[in-house]
């Protein structure tokens, strides 16, 4: 209580001092305020311009706690019992600075209960100089400390003792943290925030305390365990028809999710799943003993019907975690123009092109060493090429990208054979092309054989009835003659 009065009196003195000096010099007088982050070192200033041949008696004391540190004129040191426990001295007053009139107190590894009002008293042989300093400790803490995505938690910024009129702001990973409640950012936000833990809240939380035109910071690291890959729901994964693709589902390292399940979701509905609707080329995570947190799945050969939404889910410490992933399938549609038979139009088709902002066609060739060379052709979704032209044999690749960068590509192969036979064959249906070609050939052969057999049978029949042939012949001759006569009339 007396300290309170004391500081009030000092404030008063200062006020008067300011009033006097302001008019003359514009100088300011303040009760020093020191803010320190819990665990760091705090320096409480105490400077005197008084010069004296003898060193003063120095007494640092804390309100309600008694003497912190004392130095007799003889050099004898004394530390308060609560400051010198277990062999580590947390308080120091560097002797080397005394000559310059600096009697500042250093407190290492400050704790919340170190916050309070300190008094430095210098006794220059009867003349006592007293300085008051307020030490405030800033500490960021989480409750509970170990979090799994989906749990409720609170993040608190404590200033001990609280500075009336101070304002507080949060930063997460060095960017201002705006609570997503729709409420405008309040500079005088509450000291504690309740949130639902998500992987995105992982990182360094910094509390910025502003007081009397100055800023202090304190930080703490929050780790939320959950699904780290992909980081967001409804992440799109792009794959070309016929290629292999991995659908990522990676949990935080060190945790072993139980009951992992992959499902394909019914289109249009995010909630209903279609059990057992996974394609045959779909293989869920391999149970790798080294990486039990990697539950990614893969498709060995993507078909156009594999496009859609998938869900990976598992249970971690009683929390059911899941992530929705959208597989977007790309393929090249080919159409032959009706005017020019040898020219084809290739169209880059995606099952969901909502993120795609750019299409580009490139022509890829390989030299004898297998070195790839890429030649840009044109922008746009479609491309017209001549199939029979020998210089177009190779790979036509459609690259598609969003505003953030490349998303994927899909390849159309024009091969030597297709040039000769006029048959198309593309990357994902090379085999189909060959099969169709062979089938056509077989059908043609069969037709020829059938015709030959028919002719053979007819001849055989006619030879069996030579008389009948004569009759047929005579009848037709007679009919012809009659018609001729008819025309003459
Ligand atoms: C193929 O590789 C050899 C040796 O690495 C090199 O000398 C030659 O120039 C390469 N040819 C082409 C077409 O790049
Ligand atoms: C197409 O995508 C594959 C896989 O991402 C990549 O390795 C390849 O270089 C891409 N092709 C072109 C021409 O960019």
């Amino acid at each position: 209580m007396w300290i309170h009065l004391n500081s009030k009196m000092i404030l008063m003195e200062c006020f008067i001092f300011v009033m006097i000096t302001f008019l003359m010099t514009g100088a300011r007088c303040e009760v020093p305020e020191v803010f320190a982050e819990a665990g760091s070192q705090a320096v409480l200033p105490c400077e005197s311009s008084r010069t004296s041949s003898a060193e003063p008696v120095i007494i640092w004391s804390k309100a309600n706690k008694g003497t912190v540190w004392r130095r007799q004129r003889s050099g004898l040191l004394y530390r308060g019992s609560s400051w010198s426990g277990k062999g580590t001295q947390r308080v120091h007053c560097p002797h080397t600075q005394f000559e310059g009139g600096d009697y500042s107190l250093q407190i290492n590894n400050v704790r919340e209960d170190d916050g309070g009002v300190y008094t430095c008293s210098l006794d220059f042989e009867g003349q006592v100089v007293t300085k008051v300093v307020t030490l405030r400790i800033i500490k960021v803490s989480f409750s509970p400390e170990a979090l799994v995505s989906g749990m409720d938690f609170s993040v608190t910024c404590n200033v001990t003792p609280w500075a009336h009129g101070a304002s507080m702001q949060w930063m997460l990973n060095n960017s201002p943290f705006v609570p997503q409640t729709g409420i405008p950012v309040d500079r005088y936000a509450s000291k504690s925030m309740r949130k639902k833990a998500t992987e995105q809240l992982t990182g360094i939380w910094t509390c910025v305390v502003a007081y009397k035109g100055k800023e202090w910071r304190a930080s703490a690291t929050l780790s939320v365990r959950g699904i780290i890959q992909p980081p967001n729901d409804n992440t799109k994964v792009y794959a070309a028809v016929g290629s292999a693709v991995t659908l990522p589902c990676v949990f935080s390292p060190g945790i072993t999710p139980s009951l992992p399940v992959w499902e394909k979701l019914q289109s249009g509905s995010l909630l209903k799943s279609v059990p057992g609707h996974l394609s045959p080329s779909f293989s869920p995570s391999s149970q790798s003993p080294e990486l039990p947190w990697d539950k990614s799945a893969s498709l060995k050969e993507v078909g156009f019907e594999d496009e859609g939404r998938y869900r990976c889910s598992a249970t971690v410490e009683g929390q059911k975690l899941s992530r929705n992933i959208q597989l977007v399938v790309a393929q090249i549609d080919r159409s032959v123009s009706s005017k020019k038979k040898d020219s084809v139009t290739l169209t880059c088709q995606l099952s969901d092109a909502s993120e795609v902002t750019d299409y580009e066609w490139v022509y890829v060739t390989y030299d004898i060493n297998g070195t790839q060379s890429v030649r840009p052709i044109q922008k746009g979704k479609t491309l017209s090429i001549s199939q029979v032209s020998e210089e177009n044999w190779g790979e036509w690749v459609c690259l598609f990208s969003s505003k953030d960068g490349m998303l994927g590509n899909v390849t159309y192969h024009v091969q030597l054979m297709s040039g000769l036979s006029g048959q198309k064959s593309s990357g994902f249906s090379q085999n189909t092309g060959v099969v169709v070609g062979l089938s056509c050939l077989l059908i043609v052969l069969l037709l020829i054989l059938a015709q030959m057999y028919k002719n053979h049978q007819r001849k055989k029949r006619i030879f069996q009835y030579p008389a009948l042939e004569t009759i047929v012949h005579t009848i037709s001759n007679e009919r012809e003659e009659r018609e001729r006569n008819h025309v003459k009339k």
Side-chain angles (χ1 to χ4, degrees):
M1 196 60 207
W2 68 270
I3 280 293
H4 194 67
L5 283 174
N6 199 357
S7 60
K8 270 227 171 113
M9 273 162 61
I10 283 161
L11 269 173
M12 193 79 122
E13 276 173 30
C14 276
F15 183 68
I16 294 160
F17 180 71
V18 164
M19 288 308 281
I20 295 163
T21 53
F22 183 76
L23 298 166
M24 302 188 290
T25 62
R28 290 169 66 205
C29 172
E30 285 176 344
V31 172
E33 291 265 355
V34 174
F35 284 69
E37 181 175 4
S40 69
Q41 185 194 62
V43 177
L44 307 184
C46 179
E47 278 165 29
S48 167
S49 53
R50 248 193 88 111
T51 46
S52 155
S53 51
E55 276 175 5
V57 176
I58 310 155
I59 304 170
W60 272 101
S61 57
K62 189 185 173 206
N64 307 327
K65 277 278 193 83
T67 305
V68 176
W69 189 92
R70 190 176 69 212
R71 189 177 186 272
Q72 301 287 81
R73 205 163 274 129
S74 64
L76 195 70
L77 284 184
Y78 167 81
R79 281 187 177 88
S81 55
S82 57
W83 302 89
S84 56
K86 302 210 172 75
T88 51
Q89 312 290 351
R90 289 206 298 127
V91 286
H92 297 277
C93 202
H95 185 260
T96 49
Q97 294 172 3
F98 292 172
E99 250 178 69
D102 186 354
Y103 305 96
S104 301
L105 183 73
Q106 296 178 355
I107 309 176
N108 294 325
N109 191 18
V110 289
R111 304 186 297 234
E112 281 190 287
D113 61 3
D114 291 342
V117 179
Y118 289 76
T119 310
C120 162
S121 137
L122 307 170
D123 185 347
F124 294 93
E125 286 166 325
Q127 276 204 312
V128 179
V129 178
T130 308
K131 308 260 173 176
V132 174
V133 182
T134 306
L135 173 64
R136 300 183 199 275
I137 309 297
I138 316 175
K139 187 178 181 183
V140 175
S141 57
F142 306 103
S143 166
E145 277 176 35
L147 285 172
V148 168
S149 185
M151 286 180 176
D152 284 322
F153 78 104
S154 62
V155 51
T156 307
C157 182
N158 265 332
V159 176
T160 318
W162 175 246
H164 293 283
S167 71
M168 199 175 273
Q169 270 179 313
W170 286 104
M171 312 255 285
L172 174 55
N173 295 323
N174 287 325
S175 12
F177 181 80
V178 183
Q180 290 162 334
T181 44
I183 302 165
V185 191
D186 184 6
R187 257 187 83 74
Y188 302 92
S190 75
K191 297 191 282 179
S192 192
M193 258 194 303
R194 279 204 79 73
K195 304 234 47 117
K196 198 168 268 302
T198 61
E199 292 82 351
Q200 287 95 317
L201 299 183
T202 290
I204 299 166
W205 284 80
T206 306
C207 167
V208 183
V209 178
Y211 186 60
K212 292 187 177 165
K214 282 190 189 169
E215 273 190 359
W216 292 272
R217 281 153 197 256
S219 302
T221 304
L222 179 72
S223 83
V224 178
R225 288 166 305 150
I227 300 173
I228 53 168
Q229 234 358 288
N232 296 307
D233 248 346
N234 299 323
T235 298
K236 290 185 175 71
V237 173
Y238 292 84
V241 167
S243 68
V245 70
T246 298
L247 300 181
C249 184
V250 183
F251 290 75
S252 305
I255 58 177
T256 307
S258 54
L259 307 168
V261 177
W262 272 98
E263 305 159 288
K264 186 164 185 193
L265 304 177
Q266 220 160 26
S267 58
S269 148
L270 293 177
L271 299 169
K272 276 188 192 162
S273 69
V274 197
H277 209 269
L278 294 170
S279 104
S281 90
F282 187 93
S283 62
S285 48
S286 56
Q287 294 298 318
S288 143
E290 297 100 67
L291 302 167
W293 49 86
D294 188 351
K295 298 291 171 202
S296 303
S298 60
L299 276 127
K300 282 186 198 71
E301 200 180 332
V302 175
F304 201 75
E305 67 286 351
D306 289 329
E307 65 93 14
R309 286 169 203 277
Y310 293 80
R311 177 186 289 163
C312 155
S313 56
T315 307
V316 177
E317 288 177 29
Q319 294 284 328
K320 185 158 182 183
L321 307 180
S322 69
R323 196 63 96 224
N324 292 349
I325 295 144
Q326 188 185 349
L327 177 61
V328 180
V329 176
Q331 71 175 12
I332 290 176
D333 282 352
R334 170 187 174 277
S335 61
V336 180
S337 112
S338 51
K339 288 174 205 148
K340 287 196 283 171
K341 277 279 150 49
D342 61 344
S343 139
V344 284
T345 302
L346 306 178
T347 310
C348 201
Q349 287 289 0
L350 275 89
S351 60
D352 181 346
S354 57
E355 271 181 9
V356 180
T357 53
D358 268 311
Y359 295 91
E360 188 186 1
W361 286 91
V362 295
Y363 180 59
V364 179
T365 48
Y366 298 89
D367 65 15
I368 38 166
N369 290 350
T371 314
Q372 190 187 51
S373 61
V374 178
R375 181 154 53 91
I377 302 296
Q378 67 178 60
K379 296 255 179 207
K381 205 175 165 182
T382 58
L383 173 77
S384 285
I385 53 165
S386 164
Q387 276 224 113
V388 287
S389 166
E390 199 170 317
E391 65 199 25
N392 287 341
W393 297 339
E395 288 179 3
W396 296 88
V397 182
C398 168
L399 310 172
F400 42 91
S401 51
S402 72
K403 59 183 190 322
D404 299 326
M406 193 63 71
L407 295 172
N409 66 55
V410 53
T411 304
Y412 181 85
H413 297 268
V414 179
Q415 287 180 340
L416 193 67
M417 204 192 87
S418 63
L420 291 175
S421 66
Q423 287 289 336
K424 71 116 188 188
S425 131
S426 63
F428 46 85
S429 58
Q430 261 185 60
N431 294 340
T432 326
V434 172
V435 169
V436 166
L438 283 176
S439 309
C440 284
L441 208 68
L442 206 69
I443 288 167
V444 168
L445 273 173
L446 277 173
L447 282 174
I448 291 168
L449 272 174
Q451 193 60 45
M452 278 168 73
Y453 181 71
K454 243 165 81 187
N455 286 350
H456 181 71
Q457 286 294 86
R458 213 178 111 226
K459 271 188 190 148
K460 246 167 77 184
R461 239 190 351 247
I462 286 166
F463 284 133
Q464 265 171 5
Y465 309 103
L468 194 68
E469 194 191 21
T470 324
I471 292 167
V472 170
H473 209 84
T474 322
I475 289 173
S476 64
N477 280 356
E478 276 174 4
R479 196 198 291 139
E480 270 173 34
E481 204 153 316
R482 237 184 292 134
E483 275 169 9
R484 239 180 280 137
N485 291 342
H486 194 79
V487 172
K488 273 183 194 162
K489 273 177 202 172

